[in-house]
Amino acid sequence: MSSQKRVKDSQAQKRTSQGSDTYETNLLAGEEKEDLNDSKRSLKHGQDNIAEDYGHADDQGEDALQIAVRYFEKGPIKTSQSKDKILEKHLKTVENVAWKNGLAPEGIDILLNVALSGKFGSAVNTRILKCMIPTTLIPEDSVVKAVSWLCVGKCSGSTKVLFYRWLVAMFDFIDHKDQINLLYGFFFASLQDDALCPYVCHLLYLLTRKENVKPFRVRKLLDLQAKMGMQPHLQALLSLYKFFAPTLISVSLPARKKIYFKNSENLWKAALFAVRQRNQGPPPEPLKLMLGPAQVHPVKRKWNSCSVIPVLNSSSCSKECGKKGMTLSDYLSSNGSFPLEQLKSFPQLLQNIHCLELPSQMGAVLNNSLLLHYINCVKDESILLRLYHWLSQTLQEECIWYKMNNYEHGKEFTNFLDTIIRAECFLQEGFYSCETFLYKSLPLWDGFCCRSQFLQLVSWIPFSSFSELKPLLFDHLAQLFFTSTIYFKCSVLQSLKELLQNWLLWLSADIHMKPVMNSPLETTLGGSMNSVSELIQYVGRLSTTAMRLENNSTFLLHFILDFYEKVCDIYINYNLPLVVLFPLGIFYSALLSLDSSILNQLCYIMHRYRNNLTAAKKNELVQKTKSEFNFSSKTYQEFNHYLTAMVGCLWTSKPFQKGLYIDPEVLEKTGIAEYKNSLNLVHHPALLNYAVSFLLQGKKWNWYLDYLFSEGLQGLKLFIRSSIHHSSVP
Amino acid sequence: MDSYDTSESTPRHSASSRLKDYFIGATPLQKRLESVRKLTSFIPTPPRRKIPQCSQLQEDNDPQKVAFLLHKQWTLYSLTPLYKFSYTNLKEYSRLLSAFIAAEKQKGLAVEVGEDFNIKVTFSTLLGMKGTQRDSEAFLVQILSKSQLPSENREHKVLWTGWFCCIFGDSLLETVSEDFTCVPLFLANGAETNTAIVGTWFQKTFDCYFSPLAINAFNLSWMAAMWTACKMDQYMAATEFLWSVPCSPQSLDISYAIHPEDAKALWDSVHKTPGEVTQEEVDLFMDCLYSHFHRHFKIHLSATRLVRVSTSVASAHTDGKIKILCHKYLIGVLAYLTELAIFQID
C-alpha cells in the first residue's frame, strides 16, 4: 500500500491538520469511525465506574480532578487567605490529568467556560486553556459556548489568541463542525483584529466550505491584502477561496514550497500526539500545512505546471461560466452536487455517485482510486474521451524516446508510467490511450528504456482482434525480441503470459454475462477465440525461434513453459472452448531437457492438457448437439502423438518409434549402446541425479517412483498417475 | 502493485460492455482508436493532396483581421478538443483569463475577477476562417496593454496574440461527442511566458492539452512542393531552402535560394496530375533540386536535414514556426497545418 499512500493530495484534502493521507480510498473509513465510537463508549463506561466506585484508591487522581473542576466552576473564593495556594493546587491537578490522560468532554466544557468567562485572571486562563486536551474528542457545543464568550469582551487579547490557536490545534478532535460553521461570519469579522488575523485565517482555512465563499467576503479579504500586503496566511485563505470560486478570484502561488501558517500546534505537540494515538493508534507522519503543488520538481517545467498529473480540482470554470444567466434554481442545483474535496471514502462515493462534481482536468483521477472506481462504472463517453486525450498527449510529450529532446525527465516518465500501470491493475483493464501510445512508440523503442513499465503496458492491451494488432504491435515486438538478450526475451514472454491471462479473464467474464452469443457481427465467441488462438500461436513461433537462438536455454524454457501452463488450462479455468497445444520444438526441447524441473513442468502441462481435453470430450457427449466449438480431431491426435512420445521415452523405453520417428540407423550412429533405455525414468539425463542418489540409499527399484515423487516432482506424479500408472506396469 | 484492493467483479462488468463496444465500434472512443490504428498502420500521410486553391475564405470574413494574421511569425501547437467551451461565453472568458494572467504576473497576490488591471484580454471570433461549414469557428485571443493615460485615442498595444482554428478537420470531428469543440491548431505570437500562461489557463479550464507542433523534413518537402505549385500573380520573395548539416563544433547551414519562377518551372516539369500533388512528385521535385546542387557543389543534400522552406505563399521552420505571406492561400496553408496537428493528437 505504501507507494499508493504517498500519492499527492488535492489542496483541499491537505486541509485536515490531522495530516493523515485521507486521499486513500478509505474503504476502512467506516471501521475507523466505529473504533472512535467504541473508544467513546469505553470512556463513558469508565466515568460510570468512577461514579460507582467513588473513593476507590485507583481513582484518587480522577477524584481530585472532579474537586478541582468544581472549584473552578464556582469561581474564586474571595475571602480565603490561602486562595492562591488552593488555586495552584487545583490547577496542578487539572494540568497533570490533562497532560497524562486528557480531559473528558464534561471537564473541557466546564473549564473552557471558566477560562473564557474571565472569572480568574489572565494567567490562570492561559494555564487552563493550555491544558484543554481531550481524552478523545471535544464536543462541538462546548466550542460554540466558548466562542459566545468572545463576544462579551471579558477576556483579554492574549487569551483570545490562545483560544484560536487552541481551536486550530484541536480542530480535528471536535466531534462535529456544522454548528461551528454557522459562526463563520463571526470568525470572519474577527479578521479585522490584527493580532488575531493569522490565527483566524488558519481557522477559516480549516472551516471554509464552498457555500461560505461569497463575493463580499472575497472583497473584504482583498481589502485586507491591500492593507497588509502579501501575508502568507491571507494568501492561503485567498487561494482556498479561489479553489472554491474561480470565477470570483484568481491567485497564483509560487511553485516554491512554503509554509503558510505558523505552527499553531506547537504548544500542544506532545498532547496532540497522545490524543491521536488514543484515537487511532500510531500517528501518521506529521504534515506541514502547505499549499500549491504537492510535488515540487527540481527541474522547472516550462508549461503544464509542476507535475505531470494535474492536481485534483473540482472547480470547473466552464461549469460556472455564464453565471449571469444563472437562475436561482440553477444555483441551488449546483449546490446539490458533491464536491470532490469532500470525497474521502467508498461509502461516500456510493451515496453521491449521481451528483459528483468531476475534476476540471480528468487526468487527476489517476492519482485517486475513488475516482478510478467512478471512471470504471461511468457511462459518460466525454469523461473517457477527456481522459483519453489527456493521457495520449501526456504519454507522447513525456515519453523520453518519442521526442528525442527530453532525456532529463527519464525518472519522471518512469514514475508516470508506474502510476498508470497501478491504475490499470486497479481497474483490471487497460486504457486505450496506452494502446495507441504503444503503437506510436514501440517502433522507436530501444527495448531498454523503462523496459519493465513498457512491457507491463503491453500486458494490459485491451482485448481486440489479433490480426489487427499484429502489424501495429506484435510485429515490432517480434523484431525486438529476436535481436535482444535472453533476459529481454524472458520478460516479453512473461508479459505476453499476463496479456493472455487478461484477455482470458475478460472473455470468460463476457461469456457469463451473455450466455447466448448470436450477434451477426464479429462479436461471436468464435471470432474472439480465434484472436486468442492467434496470440498463442504467435508466442509459439517466438518461443520456437528463441529456443534455437538461445541454444535451448533452460532459463528461457522455464518462461516458455510458464506461458503454456496458462494455455493448457483455458478450457477448465476460464470455461472457454479453446485448447491449443505447444509446438513440436518446445515439446521435444522440454522432453529432452537436462533439467529435472523442466521435465516435471512438462509432465504437469501434459497432465492438464489431458484433463482439459477429457473435460471437453465429456461435455461434447453430454450436449450431443454439434457445436461449432467441438475441437477438431486434429487436436486430440496431436495430443496423443505427444503422449505416446512421452510414454515411449520415459516409461516403455521405446523412444522415437511413434510420434517423432527417427530411423534406428541414425540413432545407432550416435554411438550410444542402449539408446532405447537412455531416456526412461531411470536413465533420463534430467533424472540421472535422482537415480544415483536413490541407488546410494540402497533402496529397491520398486520404490523408485515413490522416491521421485517424494523429491517434489509433483508434475511427474500427476502425469504418471493419470496417463500411465493404471494402464501398464513396467 | 498490490496497493489497490483489487475487486474483480466490477471491472469485469465494464470490460464486457466495452468489449461489445469494441466490436461494434460505436462509441467516439472506438472511432478514435480505429482512426489511430489506420493512421499508424499505413503511411502517415496520404500519397496525394490537393493543390491549395485561390482564396477559399468564406465570404463573411473580416479582411482587417485576416490581414492582421499575415506576415507574422506564429509558433504552432496542436490542441486536443476543448471540453465545454462555448462561443457565447467569450466575454466571461476574457474576464477570467485577464484575472488569471494578472495573478500569474504577481505571484502570490490574489486578484478579483473583473478588477481593472493594466492589461486587457479579448476573445473574438474569426469569421469565415473555416474549410467546411462543419469546422468550428476560429477565434482569436489577444493580450493588450492598457495605456495609463486616459487619452482619447485609447490605442491598446498588443502584447500577445494567439488564435485557434480548424480547417477541414472532419476526421477529428467524427471522433468526439458534442461536448467538445475541435480547434486542433493553435498559433501564437508573442512572449512564450504569455503563451504558457494562456495555455495553462485553457488546459485547466477546458481540460485540453497543448503540444508544440514541430514540422519534420518530410512534411517540409510537401510544403515546398505544394506552395511552389500555387499560382501566383506576382512573386514577393525568392523560394528558399535551408539545410542543416550536423557537424561539430557548430552546425553548418546550407541555404539554397531559387528564383520563384524557376522553381515553378521545375515543378511544372515534374507535375502530372492536374490539381493534385502526389508523393512521387514531391520526391521528384526535391531530387531535382538535390541533383542540381550536387552538380555544382558536390554535396549530397539528401544526407542533410531540411529545416526551413520559404516561398511566396508562406515560410515554415522545422521548429514549428510559420509565417503566412499570401492572403489567397491562407486556407490552403492552414488546412495542411490542421492535418498535421490532428495527426499529432491522434
Side-chain angles (χ1 to χ4, degrees), chain A residues 302-304, chain B residues 77 100 160 191-201:
Chain A
K302 275 186 291 178
W303 271 59
N304 302 329
Chain B
Y77 293 85
F100 183 78
W160 179 93
E192 210 199 325
T193 49
N194 284 329
T195 311
I197 294 175
V198 174
T200 307
W201 184 80

Side-chain angles (χ1 to χ4, degrees), chain A residues 325-550:
Chain A
M326 233 168 144
T327 63
L328 183 65
S329 66
D330 284 340
Y331 188 71
L332 290 174
S333 66
S334 79
N335 266 7
S337 62
F338 190 80
L340 272 184
E341 54 274 3
Q342 285 175 25
L343 182 68
K344 277 170 196 147
S345 70
F346 191 67
Q348 266 181 327
L349 174 71
L350 290 184
Q351 277 162 22
N352 300 292
I353 201 152
H354 59 286
C355 58
L356 203 61
E357 259 180 31
L358 289 168
S360 61
Q361 285 173 284
M362 206 43 81
V365 301
L366 275 194
N367 271 338
N368 185 307
S369 51
L370 279 176
L371 286 175
L372 282 176
H373 274 304
Y374 181 76
I375 291 285
N376 194 37
C377 58
V378 76
K379 287 272 182 279
D380 184 355
E381 194 70 27
S382 45
I383 289 175
L384 300 176
L385 267 173
R386 284 162 71 188
L387 185 63
Y388 173 88
H389 283 302
W390 174 81
L391 192 53
S392 303
Q393 291 298 291
T394 313
L395 278 168
Q396 202 168 306
E397 283 297 305
E398 296 294 317
C399 179
I400 51 178
W401 65 88
Y402 192 72
K403 293 209 166 175
M404 296 302 284
N405 49 359
N406 45 0
Y407 266 88
E408 72 263 35
H409 293 307
K411 183 88 188 92
E412 220 171 297
F413 183 57
T414 315
N415 291 341
F416 180 57
L417 289 181
D418 280 332
T419 310
I420 294 172
I421 291 160
R422 267 202 305 277
E424 291 191 326
C425 289
F426 176 67
L427 294 173
Q428 288 288 294
E429 187 172 6
F431 295 115
Y432 287 129
S433 319
C434 296
E435 192 182 331
T436 55
F437 169 69
L438 289 175
Y439 299 161
K440 288 187 172 192
S441 62
L442 184 55
L444 305 172
W445 187 43
D446 60 1
F448 182 74
C449 208
C450 309
R451 176 193 292 173
S452 140
Q453 286 79 10
F454 199 81
L455 290 177
Q456 282 183 77
L457 286 184
V458 169
S459 68
W460 282 111
I461 294 172
F463 174 77
S464 53
S465 147
F466 184 84
S467 48
E468 244 181 87
L469 287 181
K470 192 169 167 286
L472 296 167
L473 259 168
F474 293 109
D475 286 345
H476 295 291
L477 193 61
Q479 280 176 12
L480 272 176
F481 180 85
F482 292 133
T483 52
S484 301
T485 62
I486 185 169
Y487 302 105
F488 181 81
K489 292 189 175 87
C490 296
S491 321
V492 169
L493 287 170
Q494 167 95 10
S495 64
L496 289 172
K497 184 186 82 181
E498 277 154 23
L499 176 69
L500 174 71
Q501 175 175 313
N502 290 333
W503 282 16
L504 291 172
L505 275 172
W506 288 322
L507 287 170
S508 65
D510 199 55
I511 282 188
H512 300 307
M513 299 294 294
K514 292 171 288 174
V516 192
M517 309 260 303
N518 50 5
S519 165
L521 292 162
E522 211 216 330
T523 67
T524 55
L525 188 55
S528 314
M529 285 304 105
N530 256 344
S531 205
V532 176
S533 150
E534 280 172 68
L535 171 67
I536 296 170
Q537 275 153 14
Y538 165 80
V539 177
R541 284 193 299 278
L542 289 190
S543 310
T544 313
T545 316
M547 282 302 283
R548 260 189 290 145
L549 288 172
E550 301 295 340

